[in-house]
């Protein structure tokens, strides 16, 4: 009995499908879109009306002043983490600046994530599907720090890039959904 393949088409050596950051990010984008569509299922008509009535303007400081302290903390720490994260993504890694700024970023992200636990304006009185990202952040952020401490650079990099691009870039888009605070601050 021969161990050779019995079909007439020779098998090509194909590289195994590897899990890369790009593929993981693409898959996470699909998951995010599904969660977002589910979270906003009943309000799509209102969103389209808001988009049609949008008029960009300077920030509405009266609206900003009227926000609750929890939302202000969330907003300011998220914006600071977004800016610092962009600097960290472009700066050289492993240096003293990276470590100090990294700890500052971790504190900002943790504060931002914890503050979301007290924000229930999307689903009054309870958490919404968007809070799943809070849970994810509260799990991955400490793991990313542990991986950095263990010098597992590849895991640390993937986790931090995922948090930065996923937790901030994507959630920034969530923040500008018509009718939400950031939308009203600049377009409402």
């Amino acid at each position: 009995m021969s161990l050779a393949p019995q079909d007439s088409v020779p098998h090509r050596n194909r590289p195994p499908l590897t899990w890369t950051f790009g593929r993981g990010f693409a898959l996470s984008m699909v998951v995010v879109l599904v969660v977002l569509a589910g979270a906003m299922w009943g309000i799509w008509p209102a969103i389209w009306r808001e988009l049609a009535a949008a008029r960009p303007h300077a920030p509405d400081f009266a609206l900003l002043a009227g926000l609750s302290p929890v939302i202000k903390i969330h907003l300011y720490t998220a914006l600071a983490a977004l800016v610092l994260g962009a600097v960290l993504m472009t700066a050289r890694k492993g240096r003293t600046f990276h470590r100090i700024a990294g700890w500052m970023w971790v504190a900002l992200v943790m504060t931002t994530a914890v503050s979301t636990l007290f924000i229930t304006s999307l689903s009054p009185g309870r958490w919404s599907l968007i809070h799943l990202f809070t849970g994810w952040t509260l799990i991955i952020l400490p793991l990313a720090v542990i991986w950095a401490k263990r010098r597992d650079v590849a895991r640390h990099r993937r986790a931090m890039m995922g948090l930065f691009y996923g937790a901030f870039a994507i959630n920034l888009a969530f923040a500008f959904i018509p009718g939400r605070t950031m939308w009203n601050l600049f377009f409402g």
Side-chain angles (χ1 to χ4, degrees):
M1 179 168 196
S2 170
L3 295 177
Q6 300 299 312
D7 57 356
S8 60
V9 179
H11 291 283
R12 294 189 178 102
N13 290 335
R14 288 185 219 148
L17 184 63
T18 57
W19 192 255
T20 62
F21 179 77
R23 286 189 179 139
F25 189 71
L27 178 62
S28 67
M29 293 298 98
V30 170
V31 170
V32 165
L33 290 174
V34 168
V35 169
L36 180 60
M40 300 184 331
W41 184 256
I43 59 172
W44 282 107
I47 289 174
W48 289 113
R49 281 192 302 275
E50 287 275 342
L51 281 170
R55 55 186 199 295
H57 55 77
D60 182 354
F61 290 110
L63 175 67
L64 190 61
L67 294 174
S68 72
V70 172
I71 292 177
K72 286 181 184 176
I73 288 169
H74 179 74
L75 176 64
Y76 296 142
T77 58
L79 291 175
L82 184 67
V83 171
L84 183 57
V87 170
L88 282 166
M89 288 294 161
T90 58
R92 189 166 177 173
K93 312 299 184 270
R95 303 286 174 127
T96 303
F97 171 77
H98 178 79
R99 286 191 293 276
I100 293 170
W103 279 112
M104 289 172 54
W105 190 79
V106 166
L108 288 167
V109 171
M110 188 61 76
T111 304
T112 302
V114 169
S115 70
T116 64
L117 297 174
F118 302 98
I119 300 172
T120 58
S121 56
L122 195 59
S123 299
R126 61 190 171 139
W127 292 336
S128 66
L129 288 175
I130 294 175
H131 283 90
L132 291 173
F133 299 113
T134 300
W136 181 253
T137 300
L138 293 174
I139 292 168
I140 293 299
L141 189 61
L143 287 174
V145 171
I146 290 169
W147 292 327
K149 290 286 192 185
R150 291 182 180 170
R151 303 208 187 289
D152 190 345
V153 176
R155 275 184 163 171
H156 172 73
R157 182 185 319 114
R158 280 193 308 269
M160 289 303 195
M161 287 175 67
L163 281 171
F164 178 72
Y165 294 116
F168 283 94
I170 293 168
N171 280 326
L172 184 63
F174 284 165
F176 279 95
I177 291 172
R180 297 196 71 200
T181 302
M182 292 299 287
W183 173 268
N184 292 333
L185 196 62
F186 293 99
F187 297 101

